[in-house]
Amino acid sequence: MSSDSGKKRKPKVIRTEGVAPEGKRSRAEAEHSQEGRPLSEEAEVELRDPSKDFALYQRTCQDLQRLMLEIQELKSRGGRDSAAEIEERRIQSCVHFMTLKKLNRLAHIRLKSGRDQTHEAKQKVDAYHLQLQNLLYEVMHLQKEITKCLEFKSKHEEIELVGLEAFYSEAPEEISRPEVTQEDPHQQTLARLDWELEQRKRLAEKYKEGLSQKETILKEIEVKKEYLSNLQPRLHSIMQASLPVQEYLSMPFDQVHKQHETARHLPPPLYVLFVQASAYGQACDKKLVVAIEGNVEEAKALCKPPEDSQDDESDSDAEEEQTTKRRRPTLGVQLDDKRKEMLKRHPLTVNVDLKCKDGSLLHLTFYFLMSLNVVTVKAKVTAAKVTAPISGGDLLSPDSLLSCLYPGDHGKRTPNPANQFQFDKVGIVSLSDYVAELGHPYLWAQKLGGLHFPKDQPQSSIMADNTLSASHMEQTMKLLKTRLESRLALHRQFASLEHGILPVSSECQHLFPAKIVSRLVKWVTITYEDYLELSYTKDVVEAGLAEDTHLYYMAFIERGTAKLQAAVALNPGYCAIPPVFSLGLNWNGERNNRNDDNIRAMEREVNVHQGELLGPRRGFQLLTNQLQRLCLLMDVYLETEAHDSSVEGPKEFPREKMCLRLARGPSRMKPFKYNHPQGFFSHR
């Protein structure tokens, strides 16, 4: 056995189906070898079928896989005879690997051949595409040339020639030549152009004649201008000589002429206000004085258009570049400059002076804010022989004098809706912070200037309307005069109230009995915050009858140990809108409208039935009469109060008023109504 195992066995080649050994040559190789030419793999690729090569590849892989499995099984057995078999299968595997390499080379050759063919086809397509683009460019160029030719217009087409009918009727036959032109359009156009030339020559001659006439007329105008220029100094000397006569006759023609010359430089709203106020003064109020004040030169500079704007802009740009290189202003400084520019007023103002019969004067100054396009007004009162009470300081102040001349018009907000967008850009919260300097933008001031601002949407351009100003002028002037008279009347009354005197006029004496024991001991002004803190004013505040625009006062009325406090809310529209009283009585405890029905009845007598106290003079004495009635009501309240029988001695408040009935109803209401001239008190 050892001798048999030591002998080298000759390897036996096992042929697989479809696998040609590399040592064997195919029929094609034999044919090529017979012809004497070497067979290359590139030529072999063209002769072989790719599908058959793919099938050969699959079979080779399967055989190779099978051989590997057999080798693995032989090695796992570990027999002595297995080495020869393993070697035999290893040789077969190598043959299969050689077949795979050959198939791999053939595949790469086929891939290279396909890429080469694709590249050649791509080059042909690119060449065809380039030829197509060249042809398209030539077509486009030809189309443009055709379009230019079709759109070509001759200069004679821009000339408006006369119509054919007018041409044949007006043109002479040597130009029109109807026997030729009617059949030939080209000759017709040439004939019409000749006729146009002939007409223009005639017009040129007329133009020259007109120029000569114009020069003659200009010479005549120059002569007349020279005559008028010599006449102007003479007229001026005549006007100067007539000034004493104008002053004597109260006919200041020269002053009115100067005012009208200055009015030309007013902005449109102030101009409308000036014209309408002057017309109203001439027609309805001879004491009304309207004047224009301010810097006329600055107003003229605003109206002039800028000259040499381009040169100025270039110079200003150069200056700005130099200044920005030197220093750069902070954001706060820029905003301040923008605010000042936005709140800038026109240099001219319109002054209106309203005079009353007692000699008092209301001086109104109207301004125009150019950027905001609103009219503002400042007020000043000059009163004769009027003492200044401490509590009357706010009556004639500029902030409250004209407030709520019309209901709700307090003049703290701008009436132009577009201004809020302008304020947001420069950081202005509200115009109320600047009204002390600029004036109040009341709605009635806008209407006097002919300005109307719609509330639904802001408009960029607002025009001054004369009709709007004229329709509001008379009513506003009457309201202003009434406001001044009522405030001056209050001013005089406050001077007496501070000394404990109720100045009841002789016309109103019949409204009260001859004897009133309760008296006013103190009259002071209070703030809106103090008014809100009072416990007996909450109903008035909740009803909306007390606002921060009102004036507030406190009256102290006493009789014996009883002390009555009356908080007064004075509407700016007094006396058209009566003041509102809120009462609090300090006697045997605190009594007010919340815990005592009779205190509520006293408030009703003063507030609701105030129509009985107006008097004959427009109600200017209403506040004094209300205070006098309040003293009367306090007497009735105290005298009709039940006496405590446990207390010895006389009653503190003896009954002096004649009452038909001391109390009525379950709430024991007292008789607060005074009947004149009988002089007794009854229930309402």
Side-chain angles (χ1 to χ4, degrees):
M1 292 295 291
S2 62
S3 61
D4 294 336
S5 61
K7 294 180 180 178
K8 293 183 180 180
R9 296 183 181 180
K10 185 178 181 180
K12 185 179 180 181
V13 179
I14 300 175
R15 296 183 179 178
T16 59
E17 295 180 357
V19 179
E22 193 173 354
K24 300 290 185 178
R25 291 183 296 178
S26 63
R27 185 181 300 172
E29 292 176 352
E31 292 176 356
H32 280 79
S33 61
Q34 291 175 0
E35 294 176 359
R37 291 179 296 176
L39 183 62
S40 62
E41 291 183 346
E42 288 80 0
E44 187 179 357
V45 166
E46 296 177 358
L47 300 176
R48 295 174 68 97
D49 187 4
S51 58
K52 293 182 179 180
D53 288 345
F54 179 69
L56 177 62
Y57 166 75
Q58 289 180 339
R59 289 194 301 272
T60 304
C61 290
Q62 292 175 1
D63 294 339
L64 185 61
Q65 185 178 7
R66 180 178 52 78
L67 290 172
M68 292 300 174
L69 291 174
E70 292 177 357
I71 292 172
Q72 185 179 4
E73 290 178 359
L74 292 173
K75 286 184 177 182
S76 60
R77 293 176 187 173
R80 295 181 179 180
D81 298 333
S82 60
E85 295 179 1
I86 291 172
E87 183 64 21
E88 183 180 355
R89 284 168 175 74
R90 183 183 65 80
I91 293 171
Q92 292 179 5
S93 299
C94 290
V95 173
H96 288 309
F97 273 118
M98 295 300 294
T99 304
L100 290 176
K101 286 183 179 181
K102 183 174 182 61
L103 293 174
N104 185 31
R105 287 195 302 272
L106 294 176
H108 281 286
I109 291 171
R110 287 193 183 95
L111 178 61
K112 182 177 180 301
S113 176
R115 287 179 178 176
D116 293 341
Q117 292 176 1
T118 304
H119 183 66
E120 290 177 1
K122 185 177 179 182
Q123 285 182 345
K124 290 181 181 180
V125 172
D126 291 341
Y128 292 148
H129 183 71
L130 182 59
Q131 292 177 5
L132 177 62
Q133 292 296 326
N134 292 335
L135 293 174
L136 291 176
Y137 179 76
E138 291 180 3
V139 170
M140 183 177 63
H141 177 69
L142 293 174
Q143 288 178 348
K144 287 183 179 179
E145 294 298 327
I146 293 171
T147 305
K148 287 181 181 180
C149 294
L150 294 176
E151 293 179 354
F152 175 76
K153 290 184 180 181
S154 178
K155 288 186 177 181
H156 77 278
E157 295 180 0
E158 300 176 359
I159 302 174
E160 293 184 4
L161 301 177
V162 296
L164 291 176
E165 296 180 359
F167 169 68
Y168 285 112
S169 62
E170 297 176 1
E173 292 185 0
E174 60 269 14
I175 295 178
S176 61
R177 294 179 298 166
E179 66 279 356
V180 179
T181 56
Q182 288 182 355
E183 297 178 358
D184 190 356
H186 178 65
Q187 293 297 330
Q188 187 183 68
T189 304
L190 293 177
R192 293 174 69 187
L193 289 173
D194 292 338
W195 175 238
E196 183 71 21
L197 178 61
E198 183 67 23
Q199 285 182 323
R200 293 195 179 192
K201 287 180 179 180
R202 295 176 184 177
L203 293 175
E205 292 178 359
K206 291 183 180 180
Y207 175 70
K208 290 180 180 178
E209 294 176 0
L211 286 179
S212 61
Q213 293 178 2
K214 178 182 177 182
E215 291 177 359
T216 304
I217 296 173
L218 286 176
K219 289 179 181 179
E220 294 177 359
I221 292 174
E222 290 296 331
V223 173
K224 293 180 180 179
K225 280 185 177 180
E226 185 178 359
Y227 172 76
L228 293 176
S229 62
N230 295 330
L231 184 62
Q232 181 68 25
R234 296 181 182 180
L235 293 176
H236 183 69
S237 60
I238 294 172
M239 291 294 295
Q240 291 295 327
S242 65
L243 287 178
V245 180
Q246 295 180 22
E247 294 178 0
Y248 180 75
L249 298 177
S250 299
M251 302 173 67
F253 296 111
D254 188 60
Q255 183 179 359
V256 172
H257 178 70
K258 290 181 179 179
Q259 286 287 311
H260 284 286
E261 286 294 327
T262 308
R264 294 169 52 191
H265 307 289
L266 285 172
L270 293 186
Y271 181 80
V272 171
L273 173 63
F274 172 77
V275 172
Q276 296 298 330
S278 301
Y280 175 78
Q282 294 176 6
C284 303
D285 190 357
K286 300 297 182 181
K287 296 181 180 180
L288 185 69
V289 179
V290 184
I292 301 174
E293 294 183 0
N295 194 330
V296 182
E297 298 300 327
E298 291 184 6
K300 291 181 180 179
L302 290 176
C303 298
K304 288 182 180 179
E307 299 178 357
D308 299 334
S309 58
Q310 295 181 353
D311 297 339
D312 294 341
E313 288 178 359
S314 60
D315 295 340
S316 61
D317 293 340
E319 291 178 0
E320 288 179 0
E321 289 179 0
Q322 292 179 0
T323 53
T324 51
K325 289 180 180 179
R326 295 176 185 172
R327 62 180 181 84
R328 180 171 295 177
T330 61
L331 182 60
V333 175
Q334 293 178 356
L335 285 177
D336 290 340
D337 295 340
K338 291 181 180 179
R339 292 191 194 105
K340 292 179 181 178
E341 185 65 24
M342 182 174 292
L343 302 176
K344 188 177 180 181
R345 299 184 297 198
H346 195 273
L348 295 180
T349 60
V350 176
N351 297 335
V352 178
D353 294 339
L354 281 169
K355 293 183 180 179
C356 297
K357 295 180 180 180
D358 58 354
S360 57
L361 178 66
L362 176 61
H363 182 75
L364 301 175
T365 304
F366 292 89
Y367 304 91
F368 180 68
L369 305 183
M370 296 180 290
S371 297
L372 302 182
N373 198 20
V374 294
V375 177
T376 60
V377 60
K378 285 186 177 182
K380 183 181 179 182
V381 177
T382 303
K385 299 180 181 179
V386 177
T387 59
I390 299 175
S391 59
D394 294 335
L395 290 176
L396 301 180
S397 66
D399 293 336
S400 64
L401 178 61
L402 303 180
S403 178
C404 297
L405 188 66
Y406 289 89
D409 188 10
H410 49 73
K412 293 183 180 180
R413 294 192 298 268
T414 172
N416 190 352
N419 294 157
Q420 191 59 45
F421 301 99
Q422 296 174 291
F423 292 161
D424 294 341
K425 293 181 180 179
V426 297
I428 296 178
V429 179
S430 175
L431 191 63
S432 59
D433 300 333
Y434 303 90
V435 293
E437 178 184 358
L438 302 176
H440 293 266
Y442 296 110
L443 287 175
W444 57 265
Q446 316 307 316
K447 293 179 180 180
L448 293 185
L451 297 178
H452 174 66
F453 302 100
K455 296 182 179 180
D456 53 354
Q457 58 182 357
Q459 295 183 0
S460 57
S461 60
I462 304 295
M463 301 299 294
D465 187 4
N466 279 285
T467 307
L468 179 64
S469 176
S471 62
H472 289 80
M473 182 62 67
E474 183 176 2
Q475 182 183 3
T476 303
M477 291 299 171
K478 290 181 179 179
L479 289 175
L480 288 171
K481 189 173 290 187
T482 304
R483 174 64 64 86
L484 177 61
E485 293 175 354
S486 65
R487 288 298 175 92
L488 290 175
L490 282 176
H491 205 266
R492 288 188 289 268
Q493 293 173 34
F494 282 7
S496 301
L497 294 178
E498 288 183 355
H499 294 85
I501 302 173
L502 291 173
V504 181
S505 62
S506 58
E507 295 89 350
C508 301
Q509 290 290 344
H510 66 279
L511 300 175
F512 311 100
K515 183 178 180 181
I516 299 177
V517 182
S518 299
R519 60 189 181 89
L520 177 69
V521 296
K522 192 176 182 181
W523 174 264
V524 295
T525 180
I526 61 175
T527 62
Y528 179 58
E529 290 75 14
D530 296 338
Y531 184 86
L532 295 178
E533 292 178 358
L534 298 175
S535 59
Y536 47 85
T537 60
K538 293 182 179 179
D539 295 339
V540 178
V541 176
E542 292 175 357
L545 300 177
E547 300 178 357
D548 56 350
T549 56
H550 293 184
L551 302 176
Y552 298 95
Y553 302 94
M554 181 71 75
F556 297 89
I557 301 174
E558 294 182 0
R559 180 179 177 181
T561 59
K563 298 180 180 180
L564 178 66
Q565 295 181 358
V568 183
L570 187 66
N571 192 286
Y574 175 88
C575 56
I577 302 176
V580 179
F581 284 73
S582 301
L583 305 179
L585 179 62
N586 188 3
W587 180 63
N588 294 334
E590 294 184 0
R591 307 183 184 187
N592 52 48
N593 53 14
R594 293 179 177 270
N595 55 22
D596 194 334
D597 293 336
N598 285 296
I599 296 294
R600 189 182 300 108
M602 292 171 64
E603 292 180 351
R604 183 167 58 251
E605 286 290 330
V606 178
N607 296 328
V608 178
H609 302 289
Q610 45 81 25
E612 303 172 357
L613 306 174
L614 291 177
R617 298 177 55 191
R618 297 184 184 178
F620 290 160
Q621 298 291 324
L622 176 60
L623 179 63
T624 301
N625 293 341
Q626 285 178 307
L627 290 173
Q628 184 75 350
R629 171 170 281 191
L630 195 58
C631 294
L632 176 62
L633 296 175
M634 185 175 179
D635 285 348
V636 174
Y637 182 91
L638 296 175
E639 292 176 9
T640 56
E641 191 71 13
H643 179 65
D644 190 1
S645 59
S646 62
V647 179
E648 298 181 356
K651 294 176 62 176
E652 182 180 3
F653 306 110
R655 188 175 303 165
E656 298 179 354
K657 306 294 185 298
M658 184 173 60
C659 302
L660 297 180
R661 189 176 179 182
L662 297 181
R664 186 180 67 180
S667 59
R668 311 305 295 167
M669 301 302 296
K670 300 179 184 296
F672 289 122
K673 180 182 179 181
Y674 176 68
N675 296 272
H676 175 79
Q678 293 83 5
F680 63 88
F681 291 85
S682 63
H683 294 85
R684 288 192 182 272

